[in-house]
Amino acid sequence: MRRYPGLWWSLFRLSWSTHRWLTVSTLSVLLLSVVATGACALALRAAVNAMVAGEGFAAVTAAVPAVAAYAALHVLQDATATCRNAVTNRVARLEVEPGVHREVAALPGIEHLERTDYLDRLKAVRDGGTQLVGSMWRVVLTFTSVMKLLVAAGLLGSISPCLLAFVTAAAVPAVCQLKGQRLLNDSQVATMEAVRLEASLAELAVDAGAAPQIRVSGAAPGLGARREAAWAEAHRVRLRARLAASALRLGGWTVFLAALLAGIVLVVGRSASGEASVGDVVLAVTVATSLGQTVQVTVNSTVATTTAGSVIEPYLWLRRYGERARECPPAGGAEVPEALREGIRLQGVTFRYGGSDHEALHGVSCLLPAGAVVAVVGENGSGKSTLVKLLTMLYRPDSGTVLVDGRPLDRLDPEEWRARISAVPQQFGRYPLTVSESVGMGDLAGMADRERITESLRAANADELVDSLPEGLETRLGRELSGVELSEGQWQRLAMARAAMRRSPLLLVLDEPTASIDAVTERAILDRRMTHARAAGRDTGGITVVVSHRLSAVSRADLVLVLAHGRLVEAGPHAELVDRGGPYARMYAAQANAYRDERCP
Ligand SMILES: Nc1ncnc2c1ncn2[C@@H]1O[C@H](COP(=O)(O)OP(=O)(O)OP(=O)(O)O)[C@@H](O)[C@H]1O
């Protein structure tokens, strides 16, 4: 909570600098409503006292401002809501939410996009801009409500100091409601995991990718039961908290109403004994009635402000995360070489994902020679993708160093390094664009170069695919926008073509680039890429790293790195590793036997 005032102040400044007139209007109507509250009660007292004294003209003179202030109060109530909503929505949608998206995109690496703690908070904040800015205006509203309470206290105190005790009673419902809200918040936090599980299982039930296996295995009832159990668990805890909060609220308002009644009885008694005027009675009733309303607004604003903690906390967390990420930018100072001479050297590279209990890579040391085609193989989870993520600077090693021709990778500017590399990641994007746009995105500078796009498609064996599409390069892709839907392997070929847009990268990473492609085409694509990579590598020393499970497809690589449980267990050319009879030879023999068995049952 200590950082909340700072956040509200920065949101107010943002509101002031971007939507000044709306901000001024909102503040003005809020302040006018405070003045109108006091003016209405005072004018009413004067009118009633004049009437009782038989002073007709004075009564009418006082009644006019009383009616005007009363009318103004109602108009201002609507105007406050309209102005507040308008400024809140504009600042949230036009400033805060786009700011969050910019911040996410500006963070170096992708670690944050794979961390559930980051993603959970991002989800809470992404569409919560209105709640965030609204919380700042709620604070302003609470201030004006407190000012109204002070005005009411002054007016009641002018009748009798005893009535000030009645104002104190107004705090009881506020405290009770806040306590109740805390119970509700705690119950939300306690059941967050069950709610998340319920939501994930609900999504899984309608996920097209998961549907075939769910149908075939008959898992739907089991998943449904698990989902219902998660929902019931969350519902039970939340219902109990809601009942307790309602009981507290009821208790608080009962105390307030009892005090209200006692206050009115007191003033009527004083009036009967001549210590107070009839106008005082009217004033007390008017103020007391509006006090109830003011207390309600104050309580609601305070509760809404504390509820906004569910957005404010994640927002502050994301900001701190961004600040910390920016505090340790790449040291810089080293330039990305024009061409590689030695290659990329890994020295004792160790890495563990945030929240994971084991190292994905442990003490990996090797040289990826300039101009070479390097295959990275190993069983599932052995660390292959992690290795290429470190090479593409999506993550940094926890210890150890990656040297690019002797220059520490983490001293290169990530943007400059990425401008000189190219990659087909394991999870490639399916861009819902036209074919030419989808491929051209591989190098924005070449987006308009049709020849280059066609060449890139040829390099990925995707030229025939494009010829078969209704509008060739201009065919829109993706089911979402009524475009043509491609098969997994066809999408993958487009991703390969995208990576081929950069002609001579210093590092080309192909992480299972052909996993969804049939074995014959895979061999053809990889052979073609390797030939191209070797030719390009001779000029620039560019290195090609291919991650694959099909060992026969990468047997032509210059160097094979074999990973097991995050460790480099073997390295060398294919033939040498086969002769050595170690883990690689065993994996290779097992795959060859399986292939033979398949062909000769
Ligand atoms: N985002 C992540 N958060 C936490 N742990 C992760 C994450 N990604 C991978 N891991 C873990 O790191 C280890 C290495 O994963 P990696 O993806 O590098 O393996 P891989 O060899 O590429 O596997 P596969 O052949 O299945 O693609 C695994 O134990 C995996 O569970």
Side-chain angles (χ1 to χ4, degrees), residues 238-267:
R238 290 187 178 190
L239 182 66
R240 211 182 309 138
R242 265 204 295 274
L243 289 175
S246 300
L248 271 169
R249 213 163 35 231
L250 187 67
W253 282 106
T254 307
V255 170
F256 175 72
L257 289 175
L260 176 72
L261 204 63
I264 291 173
V265 169
L266 178 84
V267 184

PDB file of all heavy atoms in Angstrom, residues 238-267:
ATOM      1  N   ARG A 238     -15.451 -18.892  -1.284  1.00  0.00           N
ATOM      2  CA  ARG A 238     -15.893 -17.529  -1.588  1.00  0.00           C
ATOM      3  C   ARG A 238     -17.272 -17.234  -0.998  1.00  0.00           C
ATOM      4  O   ARG A 238     -17.536 -16.125  -0.540  1.00  0.00           O
ATOM      5  CB  ARG A 238     -15.886 -17.307  -3.099  1.00  0.00           C
ATOM      6  CG  ARG A 238     -14.466 -17.264  -3.622  1.00  0.00           C
ATOM      7  CD  ARG A 238     -14.363 -16.897  -5.064  1.00  0.00           C
ATOM      8  NE  ARG A 238     -12.938 -16.836  -5.442  1.00  0.00           N
ATOM      9  CZ  ARG A 238     -12.491 -16.372  -6.575  1.00  0.00           C
ATOM     10  NH1 ARG A 238     -13.301 -15.933  -7.477  1.00  0.00           N
ATOM     11  NH2 ARG A 238     -11.189 -16.347  -6.833  1.00  0.00           N
ATOM     12  N   LEU A 239     -18.161 -18.251  -1.003  1.00  0.00           N
ATOM     13  CA  LEU A 239     -19.509 -18.049  -0.454  1.00  0.00           C
ATOM     14  C   LEU A 239     -19.427 -17.764   1.046  1.00  0.00           C
ATOM     15  O   LEU A 239     -20.083 -16.846   1.557  1.00  0.00           O
ATOM     16  CB  LEU A 239     -20.368 -19.295  -0.719  1.00  0.00           C
ATOM     17  CG  LEU A 239     -21.814 -19.188  -0.231  1.00  0.00           C
ATOM     18  CD1 LEU A 239     -22.560 -18.118  -1.023  1.00  0.00           C
ATOM     19  CD2 LEU A 239     -22.540 -20.520  -0.365  1.00  0.00           C
ATOM     20  N   ARG A 240     -18.554 -18.533   1.741  1.00  0.00           N
ATOM     21  CA  ARG A 240     -18.412 -18.329   3.177  1.00  0.00           C
ATOM     22  C   ARG A 240     -17.938 -16.892   3.453  1.00  0.00           C
ATOM     23  O   ARG A 240     -18.455 -16.199   4.328  1.00  0.00           O
ATOM     24  CB  ARG A 240     -17.411 -19.343   3.748  1.00  0.00           C
ATOM     25  CG  ARG A 240     -17.754 -19.707   5.180  1.00  0.00           C
ATOM     26  CD  ARG A 240     -16.789 -20.664   5.806  1.00  0.00           C
ATOM     27  NE  ARG A 240     -16.522 -21.843   5.009  1.00  0.00           N
ATOM     28  CZ  ARG A 240     -15.308 -22.380   4.842  1.00  0.00           C
ATOM     29  NH1 ARG A 240     -14.263 -21.809   5.381  1.00  0.00           N
ATOM     30  NH2 ARG A 240     -15.131 -23.475   4.144  1.00  0.00           N
ATOM     31  N   ALA A 241     -16.990 -16.419   2.659  1.00  0.00           N
ATOM     32  CA  ALA A 241     -16.465 -15.062   2.852  1.00  0.00           C
ATOM     33  C   ALA A 241     -17.551 -14.031   2.559  1.00  0.00           C
ATOM     34  O   ALA A 241     -17.672 -13.020   3.251  1.00  0.00           O
ATOM     35  CB  ALA A 241     -15.264 -14.841   1.944  1.00  0.00           C
ATOM     36  N   ARG A 242     -18.365 -14.303   1.531  1.00  0.00           N
ATOM     37  CA  ARG A 242     -19.425 -13.343   1.179  1.00  0.00           C
ATOM     38  C   ARG A 242     -20.445 -13.216   2.297  1.00  0.00           C
ATOM     39  O   ARG A 242     -20.899 -12.117   2.618  1.00  0.00           O
ATOM     40  CB  ARG A 242     -20.109 -13.790  -0.127  1.00  0.00           C
ATOM     41  CG  ARG A 242     -19.495 -13.103  -1.354  1.00  0.00           C
ATOM     42  CD  ARG A 242     -20.468 -13.064  -2.515  1.00  0.00           C
ATOM     43  NE  ARG A 242     -20.779 -14.397  -2.983  1.00  0.00           N
ATOM     44  CZ  ARG A 242     -20.064 -15.072  -3.868  1.00  0.00           C
ATOM     45  NH1 ARG A 242     -18.974 -14.520  -4.375  1.00  0.00           N
ATOM     46  NH2 ARG A 242     -20.398 -16.275  -4.260  1.00  0.00           N
ATOM     47  N   LEU A 243     -20.808 -14.367   2.920  1.00  0.00           N
ATOM     48  CA  LEU A 243     -21.789 -14.333   4.014  1.00  0.00           C
ATOM     49  C   LEU A 243     -21.249 -13.542   5.196  1.00  0.00           C
ATOM     50  O   LEU A 243     -21.943 -12.707   5.786  1.00  0.00           O
ATOM     51  CB  LEU A 243     -22.135 -15.766   4.447  1.00  0.00           C
ATOM     52  CG  LEU A 243     -22.979 -16.568   3.427  1.00  0.00           C
ATOM     53  CD1 LEU A 243     -23.171 -18.003   3.888  1.00  0.00           C
ATOM     54  CD2 LEU A 243     -24.330 -15.887   3.219  1.00  0.00           C
ATOM     55  N   ALA A 244     -19.969 -13.786   5.533  1.00  0.00           N
ATOM     56  CA  ALA A 244     -19.364 -13.073   6.665  1.00  0.00           C
ATOM     57  C   ALA A 244     -19.311 -11.575   6.383  1.00  0.00           C
ATOM     58  O   ALA A 244     -19.613 -10.744   7.262  1.00  0.00           O
ATOM     59  CB  ALA A 244     -17.961 -13.623   6.922  1.00  0.00           C
ATOM     60  N   ALA A 245     -18.980 -11.201   5.121  1.00  0.00           N
ATOM     61  CA  ALA A 245     -18.890  -9.784   4.764  1.00  0.00           C
ATOM     62  C   ALA A 245     -20.273  -9.130   4.859  1.00  0.00           C
ATOM     63  O   ALA A 245     -20.409  -7.996   5.322  1.00  0.00           O
ATOM     64  CB  ALA A 245     -18.320  -9.640   3.355  1.00  0.00           C
ATOM     65  N   SER A 246     -21.323  -9.859   4.421  1.00  0.00           N
ATOM     66  CA  SER A 246     -22.683  -9.295   4.474  1.00  0.00           C
ATOM     67  C   SER A 246     -23.100  -9.057   5.921  1.00  0.00           C
ATOM     68  O   SER A 246     -23.716  -8.032   6.240  1.00  0.00           O
ATOM     69  CB  SER A 246     -23.692 -10.247   3.829  1.00  0.00           C
ATOM     70  OG  SER A 246     -23.341 -10.456   2.501  1.00  0.00           O
ATOM     71  N   ALA A 247     -22.770 -10.005   6.816  1.00  0.00           N
ATOM     72  CA  ALA A 247     -23.132  -9.864   8.228  1.00  0.00           C
ATOM     73  C   ALA A 247     -22.453  -8.623   8.816  1.00  0.00           C
ATOM     74  O   ALA A 247     -23.081  -7.842   9.549  1.00  0.00           O
ATOM     75  CB  ALA A 247     -22.725 -11.117   8.994  1.00  0.00           C
ATOM     76  N   LEU A 248     -21.197  -8.425   8.478  1.00  0.00           N
ATOM     77  CA  LEU A 248     -20.472  -7.252   8.985  1.00  0.00           C
ATOM     78  C   LEU A 248     -21.116  -5.962   8.497  1.00  0.00           C
ATOM     79  O   LEU A 248     -21.283  -4.997   9.247  1.00  0.00           O
ATOM     80  CB  LEU A 248     -19.017  -7.315   8.489  1.00  0.00           C
ATOM     81  CG  LEU A 248     -18.028  -8.072   9.368  1.00  0.00           C
ATOM     82  CD1 LEU A 248     -16.720  -8.280   8.634  1.00  0.00           C
ATOM     83  CD2 LEU A 248     -17.765  -7.279  10.664  1.00  0.00           C
ATOM     84  N   ARG A 249     -21.489  -5.965   7.202  1.00  0.00           N
ATOM     85  CA  ARG A 249     -22.089  -4.768   6.608  1.00  0.00           C
ATOM     86  C   ARG A 249     -23.408  -4.421   7.311  1.00  0.00           C
ATOM     87  O   ARG A 249     -23.663  -3.277   7.658  1.00  0.00           O
ATOM     88  CB  ARG A 249     -22.319  -5.023   5.126  1.00  0.00           C
ATOM     89  CG  ARG A 249     -22.163  -3.761   4.320  1.00  0.00           C
ATOM     90  CD  ARG A 249     -21.985  -3.945   2.851  1.00  0.00           C
ATOM     91  NE  ARG A 249     -22.723  -5.050   2.291  1.00  0.00           N
ATOM     92  CZ  ARG A 249     -22.198  -5.987   1.528  1.00  0.00           C
ATOM     93  NH1 ARG A 249     -20.912  -5.958   1.271  1.00  0.00           N
ATOM     94  NH2 ARG A 249     -22.916  -6.943   1.025  1.00  0.00           N
ATOM     95  N   LEU A 250     -24.208  -5.456   7.532  1.00  0.00           N
ATOM     96  CA  LEU A 250     -25.500  -5.265   8.187  1.00  0.00           C
ATOM     97  C   LEU A 250     -25.299  -4.678   9.586  1.00  0.00           C
ATOM     98  O   LEU A 250     -25.969  -3.710   9.988  1.00  0.00           O
ATOM     99  CB  LEU A 250     -26.224  -6.621   8.268  1.00  0.00           C
ATOM    100  CG  LEU A 250     -27.647  -6.577   8.776  1.00  0.00           C
ATOM    101  CD1 LEU A 250     -28.536  -5.847   7.767  1.00  0.00           C
ATOM    102  CD2 LEU A 250     -28.185  -7.988   9.002  1.00  0.00           C
ATOM    103  N   GLY A 251     -24.335  -5.215  10.323  1.00  0.00           N
ATOM    104  CA  GLY A 251     -24.040  -4.745  11.676  1.00  0.00           C
ATOM    105  C   GLY A 251     -23.663  -3.269  11.663  1.00  0.00           C
ATOM    106  O   GLY A 251     -24.167  -2.454  12.453  1.00  0.00           O
ATOM    107  N   GLY A 252     -22.786  -2.891  10.747  1.00  0.00           N
ATOM    108  CA  GLY A 252     -22.288  -1.513  10.654  1.00  0.00           C
ATOM    109  C   GLY A 252     -23.407  -0.529  10.396  1.00  0.00           C
ATOM    110  O   GLY A 252     -23.529   0.506  11.059  1.00  0.00           O
ATOM    111  N   TRP A 253     -24.274  -0.847   9.419  1.00  0.00           N
ATOM    112  CA  TRP A 253     -25.364   0.076   9.075  1.00  0.00           C
ATOM    113  C   TRP A 253     -26.406   0.149  10.185  1.00  0.00           C
ATOM    114  O   TRP A 253     -27.049   1.187  10.384  1.00  0.00           O
ATOM    115  CB  TRP A 253     -26.002  -0.324   7.746  1.00  0.00           C
ATOM    116  CG  TRP A 253     -25.132   0.115   6.593  1.00  0.00           C
ATOM    117  CD1 TRP A 253     -24.360  -0.673   5.804  1.00  0.00           C
ATOM    118  CD2 TRP A 253     -24.920   1.463   6.141  1.00  0.00           C
ATOM    119  NE1 TRP A 253     -23.671   0.085   4.874  1.00  0.00           N
ATOM    120  CE2 TRP A 253     -23.999   1.402   5.061  1.00  0.00           C
ATOM    121  CE3 TRP A 253     -25.391   2.706   6.538  1.00  0.00           C
ATOM    122  CZ2 TRP A 253     -23.558   2.527   4.390  1.00  0.00           C
ATOM    123  CZ3 TRP A 253     -24.961   3.836   5.853  1.00  0.00           C
ATOM    124  CH2 TRP A 253     -24.051   3.742   4.798  1.00  0.00           C
ATOM    125  N   THR A 254     -26.583  -0.935  10.919  1.00  0.00           N
ATOM    126  CA  THR A 254     -27.547  -0.908  12.029  1.00  0.00           C
ATOM    127  C   THR A 254     -27.085   0.103  13.081  1.00  0.00           C
ATOM    128  O   THR A 254     -27.867   0.917  13.591  1.00  0.00           O
ATOM    129  CB  THR A 254     -27.671  -2.320  12.653  1.00  0.00           C
ATOM    130  OG1 THR A 254     -27.950  -3.243  11.618  1.00  0.00           O
ATOM    131  CG2 THR A 254     -28.757  -2.392  13.704  1.00  0.00           C
ATOM    132  N   VAL A 255     -25.777   0.075  13.399  1.00  0.00           N
ATOM    133  CA  VAL A 255     -25.238   1.028  14.384  1.00  0.00           C
ATOM    134  C   VAL A 255     -25.451   2.461  13.898  1.00  0.00           C
ATOM    135  O   VAL A 255     -25.891   3.348  14.645  1.00  0.00           O
ATOM    136  CB  VAL A 255     -23.724   0.741  14.605  1.00  0.00           C
ATOM    137  CG1 VAL A 255     -23.079   1.854  15.430  1.00  0.00           C
ATOM    138  CG2 VAL A 255     -23.548  -0.601  15.294  1.00  0.00           C
ATOM    139  N   PHE A 256     -25.183   2.684  12.602  1.00  0.00           N
ATOM    140  CA  PHE A 256     -25.300   4.039  12.048  1.00  0.00           C
ATOM    141  C   PHE A 256     -26.744   4.537  12.120  1.00  0.00           C
ATOM    142  O   PHE A 256     -27.011   5.668  12.541  1.00  0.00           O
ATOM    143  CB  PHE A 256     -24.798   4.040  10.599  1.00  0.00           C
ATOM    144  CG  PHE A 256     -24.984   5.354   9.910  1.00  0.00           C
ATOM    145  CD1 PHE A 256     -24.189   6.441  10.255  1.00  0.00           C
ATOM    146  CD2 PHE A 256     -25.956   5.530   8.935  1.00  0.00           C
ATOM    147  CE1 PHE A 256     -24.361   7.679   9.624  1.00  0.00           C
ATOM    148  CE2 PHE A 256     -26.132   6.744   8.315  1.00  0.00           C
ATOM    149  CZ  PHE A 256     -25.329   7.823   8.655  1.00  0.00           C
ATOM    150  N   LEU A 257     -27.684   3.657  11.725  1.00  0.00           N
ATOM    151  CA  LEU A 257     -29.093   4.079  11.721  1.00  0.00           C
ATOM    152  C   LEU A 257     -29.596   4.344  13.133  1.00  0.00           C
ATOM    153  O   LEU A 257     -30.384   5.278  13.366  1.00  0.00           O
ATOM    154  CB  LEU A 257     -29.953   3.014  11.025  1.00  0.00           C
ATOM    155  CG  LEU A 257     -29.726   2.948   9.501  1.00  0.00           C
ATOM    156  CD1 LEU A 257     -30.506   1.813   8.882  1.00  0.00           C
ATOM    157  CD2 LEU A 257     -30.124   4.278   8.841  1.00  0.00           C
ATOM    158  N   ALA A 258     -29.114   3.566  14.100  1.00  0.00           N
ATOM    159  CA  ALA A 258     -29.508   3.791  15.496  1.00  0.00           C
ATOM    160  C   ALA A 258     -29.017   5.167  15.953  1.00  0.00           C
ATOM    161  O   ALA A 258     -29.750   5.932  16.608  1.00  0.00           O
ATOM    162  CB  ALA A 258     -28.930   2.687  16.380  1.00  0.00           C
ATOM    163  N   ALA A 259     -27.774   5.498  15.557  1.00  0.00           N
ATOM    164  CA  ALA A 259     -27.205   6.802  15.935  1.00  0.00           C
ATOM    165  C   ALA A 259     -27.980   7.931  15.270  1.00  0.00           C
ATOM    166  O   ALA A 259     -28.236   8.986  15.866  1.00  0.00           O
ATOM    167  CB  ALA A 259     -25.732   6.848  15.537  1.00  0.00           C
ATOM    168  N   LEU A 260     -28.392   7.705  14.014  1.00  0.00           N
ATOM    169  CA  LEU A 260     -29.157   8.713  13.263  1.00  0.00           C
ATOM    170  C   LEU A 260     -30.468   9.035  13.988  1.00  0.00           C
ATOM    171  O   LEU A 260     -30.818  10.198  14.202  1.00  0.00           O
ATOM    172  CB  LEU A 260     -29.431   8.164  11.857  1.00  0.00           C
ATOM    173  CG  LEU A 260     -30.295   9.010  10.931  1.00  0.00           C
ATOM    174  CD1 LEU A 260     -29.538  10.232  10.475  1.00  0.00           C
ATOM    175  CD2 LEU A 260     -30.721   8.210   9.713  1.00  0.00           C
ATOM    176  N   LEU A 261     -31.136   7.958  14.412  1.00  0.00           N
ATOM    177  CA  LEU A 261     -32.406   8.105  15.120  1.00  0.00           C
ATOM    178  C   LEU A 261     -32.198   8.874  16.431  1.00  0.00           C
ATOM    179  O   LEU A 261     -32.925   9.827  16.742  1.00  0.00           O
ATOM    180  CB  LEU A 261     -32.970   6.698  15.403  1.00  0.00           C
ATOM    181  CG  LEU A 261     -34.465   6.614  15.602  1.00  0.00           C
ATOM    182  CD1 LEU A 261     -35.186   7.037  14.321  1.00  0.00           C
ATOM    183  CD2 LEU A 261     -34.865   5.182  15.971  1.00  0.00           C
ATOM    184  N   ALA A 262     -31.136   8.480  17.156  1.00  0.00           N
ATOM    185  CA  ALA A 262     -30.859   9.133  18.445  1.00  0.00           C
ATOM    186  C   ALA A 262     -30.582  10.619  18.230  1.00  0.00           C
ATOM    187  O   ALA A 262     -31.054  11.478  19.007  1.00  0.00           O
ATOM    188  CB  ALA A 262     -29.668   8.450  19.117  1.00  0.00           C
ATOM    189  N   GLY A 263     -29.849  10.954  17.182  1.00  0.00           N
ATOM    190  CA  GLY A 263     -29.502  12.348  16.876  1.00  0.00           C
ATOM    191  C   GLY A 263     -30.750  13.173  16.616  1.00  0.00           C
ATOM    192  O   GLY A 263     -30.913  14.294  17.131  1.00  0.00           O
ATOM    193  N   ILE A 264     -31.660  12.608  15.811  1.00  0.00           N
ATOM    194  CA  ILE A 264     -32.881  13.345  15.470  1.00  0.00           C
ATOM    195  C   ILE A 264     -33.743  13.555  16.724  1.00  0.00           C
ATOM    196  O   ILE A 264     -34.267  14.657  16.963  1.00  0.00           O
ATOM    197  CB  ILE A 264     -33.655  12.604  14.354  1.00  0.00           C
ATOM    198  CG1 ILE A 264     -32.858  12.701  13.054  1.00  0.00           C
ATOM    199  CG2 ILE A 264     -35.043  13.206  14.157  1.00  0.00           C
ATOM    200  CD1 ILE A 264     -33.387  11.891  11.920  1.00  0.00           C
ATOM    201  N   VAL A 265     -33.849  12.513  17.549  1.00  0.00           N
ATOM    202  CA  VAL A 265     -34.629  12.635  18.800  1.00  0.00           C
ATOM    203  C   VAL A 265     -34.039  13.747  19.675  1.00  0.00           C
ATOM    204  O   VAL A 265     -34.746  14.582  20.240  1.00  0.00           O
ATOM    205  CB  VAL A 265     -34.651  11.274  19.552  1.00  0.00           C
ATOM    206  CG1 VAL A 265     -35.218  11.443  20.967  1.00  0.00           C
ATOM    207  CG2 VAL A 265     -35.477  10.256  18.774  1.00  0.00           C
ATOM    208  N   LEU A 266     -32.700  13.814  19.735  1.00  0.00           N
ATOM    209  CA  LEU A 266     -32.018  14.819  20.551  1.00  0.00           C
ATOM    210  C   LEU A 266     -32.366  16.236  20.090  1.00  0.00           C
ATOM    211  O   LEU A 266     -32.719  17.116  20.893  1.00  0.00           O
ATOM    212  CB  LEU A 266     -30.501  14.590  20.492  1.00  0.00           C
ATOM    213  CG  LEU A 266     -29.654  15.595  21.252  1.00  0.00           C
ATOM    214  CD1 LEU A 266     -29.565  15.195  22.723  1.00  0.00           C
ATOM    215  CD2 LEU A 266     -28.247  15.686  20.672  1.00  0.00           C
ATOM    216  N   VAL A 267     -32.299  16.461  18.770  1.00  0.00           N
ATOM    217  CA  VAL A 267     -32.565  17.816  18.263  1.00  0.00           C
ATOM    218  C   VAL A 267     -34.031  18.180  18.462  1.00  0.00           C
ATOM    219  O   VAL A 267     -34.352  19.321  18.826  1.00  0.00           O
ATOM    220  CB  VAL A 267     -32.179  17.903  16.763  1.00  0.00           C
ATOM    221  CG1 VAL A 267     -32.370  19.332  16.259  1.00  0.00           C
ATOM    222  CG2 VAL A 267     -30.749  17.494  16.552  1.00  0.00           C
TER     223      VAL A 267
END
